[in-house]
């Protein structure tokens, strides 16, 4: 029978000449895959899957599928409302066109099961990223799993085949990149403009991501210690890199089919589309 302990003989000049030293063997890939921590991660993924069940009943999905079908049929985005009865022909732009494509491709491949599959994959990626973020911050995997499960319970109210899921995914990606840069000072910032370039074409929540980016940059100015909270300022090089990245991210927002109009859309929605805001169920 093999043992889980590896016996290490001390050096000849060591005073411990009669008792071997025992230390745990390093786990291989097989041992890691079936470790307790891996089982916790699988349990979290299973919980997210259970919370996703039955979330297909989102009335907006049919509108999104029709918009994507229009794009694939006409190879162009609509510039006017073509689905409404009372305001048909009214100028309109499909500000979430890119997020509709995966759902439509899933629907074409497997029907409603395909739509549900796309939703499930995106949600699993979101909470997988949250788990990684929490583990990096706390250094405790069990606590990170617990926090992620609690977050999944709170977030389940937004589960469904919705375009905002891609906005959540892009926000998690943004946080992971900035977290790595803050902790290690290493690259990855080049991906942030790409994220915003995708984000503006998937959902209007990109504006919140830009605000969050600005807050994280500003949080690197103070220096001090308050109990368990320690603040270390950005170095001049880090701050310069972040400012350049922010400028490139703003420029990337204009890489879209509608130009500056899509950049202004969240503000138009907030301040001018009162009727639309009043009928948003969320």
């Amino acid at each position: 029978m093999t043992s889980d302990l590896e016996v290490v003989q001390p050096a000849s000049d060591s005073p411990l000449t009669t008792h071997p030293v025992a230390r745990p063997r390093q786990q291989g890939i097989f041992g890691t895959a079936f470790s307790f921590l891996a089982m916790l991660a699988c349990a979290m993924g299973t919980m997210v899957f259970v919370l996703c069940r039955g979330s297909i009943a989102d009335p907006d999905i049919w509108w999104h599928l029709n918009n994507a079908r229009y794009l694939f049929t006409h190879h162009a985005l609509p510039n006017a409302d073509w689905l409404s009865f009372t305001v048909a022909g009214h100028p309109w732009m499909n500000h979430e066109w890119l997020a509709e494509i995966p759902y439509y491709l899933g629907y074409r491949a497997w029907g409603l099961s395909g739509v549900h599959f796309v939703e499930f994959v995106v949600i699993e990626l979101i909470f997988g990223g949250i788990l990684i973020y929490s583990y990096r911050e706390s250094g405790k995997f069990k606590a990170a799993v617990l926090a992620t499960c609690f977050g999944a319970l709170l977030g389940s109210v937004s589960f469904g085949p919705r375009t905002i899921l891609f906005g959540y995914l892009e926000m998690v990606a943004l946080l992971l990149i900035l977290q790595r840069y803050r902790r290690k000072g290493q690259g990855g910032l080049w991906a942030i403009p790409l994220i915003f370039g995708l984000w503006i074409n998937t959902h209007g929540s990109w504006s919140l991501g830009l605000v969050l980016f600005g807050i994280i940059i500003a949080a690197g100015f103070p220096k001090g210690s308050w109990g368990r909270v320690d603040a270390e300022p950005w170095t001049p090089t880090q701050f310069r890199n972040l400012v350049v990245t922010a400028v490139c991210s703003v420029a990337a927002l204009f890489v879209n089919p509608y130009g500056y109009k899509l950049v202004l859309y969240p503000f138009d929605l907030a301040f001018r589309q009162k009727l639309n805001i009043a009928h948003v169920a969320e």
Side-chain angles (χ1 to χ4, degrees):
M1 180 182 297
T2 60
S3 173
D4 291 336
L5 296 179
E6 177 183 1
V7 177
V8 179
Q9 297 293 340
S12 59
D13 58 348
S14 173
L16 301 176
T17 58
T18 58
H19 301 286
V21 179
R23 68 186 184 192
R25 291 184 185 273
Q26 292 184 347
Q27 288 185 334
I29 298 177
F30 184 82
T32 302
F34 290 92
S35 65
F36 177 68
L37 298 183
M39 294 300 103
L40 282 179
C42 290
M44 185 211 73
T46 303
M47 173 185 168
V48 172
F49 172 76
V50 172
L51 292 174
C52 285
R53 296 183 62 186
S55 59
I56 194 68
D58 189 289
D60 287 347
I61 186 58
W62 307 110
W63 173 56
H64 292 307
L65 292 178
N66 270 293
N67 288 334
R69 184 180 63 177
Y70 183 98
L71 174 61
F72 276 78
T73 302
H74 300 278
H75 305 289
L77 294 171
N79 292 314
D81 192 330
W82 63 289
L83 293 174
S84 298
F85 175 75
T86 55
V87 291
H90 185 78
W92 174 77
M93 56 183 175
N94 186 6
H95 61 286
E96 299 170 342
W97 67 274
L98 188 59
E100 296 169 342
I101 293 177
Y103 291 120
Y104 180 69
L105 294 178
Y107 181 78
R108 288 184 59 175
W110 303 299
L112 288 180
S113 297
V115 175
H116 201 75
F117 175 76
V118 173
E119 172 206 351
F120 169 71
V121 169
V122 176
I123 292 177
E124 288 285 0
L125 289 175
I126 291 171
F127 286 99
I130 292 174
L131 176 62
I132 295 173
Y133 186 92
S134 301
Y135 176 60
R136 287 179 180 176
E137 287 294 326
S138 66
K140 301 182 183 298
F141 193 79
K142 297 176 184 177
V145 170
L146 182 62
T148 305
C149 289
F150 183 67
L153 287 173
L154 295 178
S156 61
V157 67
S158 292
F159 285 5
R162 305 174 61 199
T163 54
I164 196 174
L165 293 181
F166 290 93
Y168 293 148
L169 181 60
E170 287 147 348
M171 180 172 288
V172 170
L174 172 66
L175 289 173
L176 286 173
I177 293 172
L178 291 175
Q179 181 194 51
R180 184 174 184 271
Y181 187 75
R182 175 172 58 83
R183 294 169 65 90
K184 298 185 177 182
Q186 297 178 354
L189 294 181
W190 59 268
I192 292 181
L194 299 179
I195 290 174
F196 277 100
L198 293 173
W199 202 340
I200 191 171
N201 290 287
T202 53
H203 196 266
S205 56
W206 63 265
S207 54
L208 299 179
L210 205 59
V211 171
L212 179 63
F213 192 11
I215 291 175
I216 292 177
I217 294 176
F221 287 116
K223 179 180 181 180
S225 180
W226 304 271
R228 295 179 178 270
V229 178
D230 297 316
E232 289 292 335
W234 301 110
T235 65
T237 301
Q238 287 178 323
F239 178 71
R240 182 173 62 252
N241 291 340
L242 288 169
V243 171
V244 171
T245 302
V247 172
C248 293
S249 298
V250 173
L253 295 176
F254 292 87
V255 183
N256 68 78
Y258 300 101
Y260 75 93
K261 293 181 179 180
L262 189 57
V263 178
L264 296 178
Y265 182 81
F267 307 99
D268 182 80
L269 176 66
F271 298 107
R272 295 183 57 190
Q273 300 183 32
K274 302 297 184 180
L275 184 62
N276 198 355
I277 292 295
H279 286 82
V280 174
E282 294 86 347

